[in-house]
Amino acid sequence: MLNLISILIGIVALVIVVPAQIPLLGALNWIALPLVAVGIGLGQLSSSRGGRNFCLIVGLIAVVRLSLGGGII
C-alpha cells in the first residue's frame, strides 16, 4: 500500500516537474522536491522499491534542472 501511495505522489510530482522544464517556470521544481522527499520516504518504508525508485528519478530530473538554471549553487 505504501508503494502505491509513493507512486501516486511521484506522479503528482512528475506533473509539476514536466512544465517546470520550460524556461521561467523552473521555480516549480522547488514545489516538487518536498513531494519527492515524502514519496521517497514512503517508498523506503514499503517492501517493494518501485515507488521509491520512481520518486528518485523524478527528484533527479528536478535537481538537474535546478542546477542548470542556477537554482542550486
Side-chain angles (χ1 to χ4, degrees):
M1 186 68 178
L2 289 174
N3 190 43
L4 180 63
I5 294 171
S6 176
I7 290 172
L8 291 175
I9 290 173
I11 290 172
V12 170
L14 184 65
V15 167
I16 295 171
V17 167
V18 168
Q21 304 307 312
I22 299 171
L24 301 175
L25 294 177
L28 289 174
N29 288 318
W30 286 110
I31 297 170
L33 284 177
L35 284 173
V36 168
V38 170
I40 290 170
L42 289 176
Q44 187 66 32
L45 293 175
S46 71
S47 60
S48 180
R49 301 293 180 223
R52 182 199 63 183
N53 293 341
F54 179 63
C55 286
L56 283 171
I57 291 170
V58 173
L60 180 68
I61 293 169
V63 168
V64 167
R65 172 62 174 96
L66 278 171
S67 67
L68 288 175
I72 297 177
I73 298 175

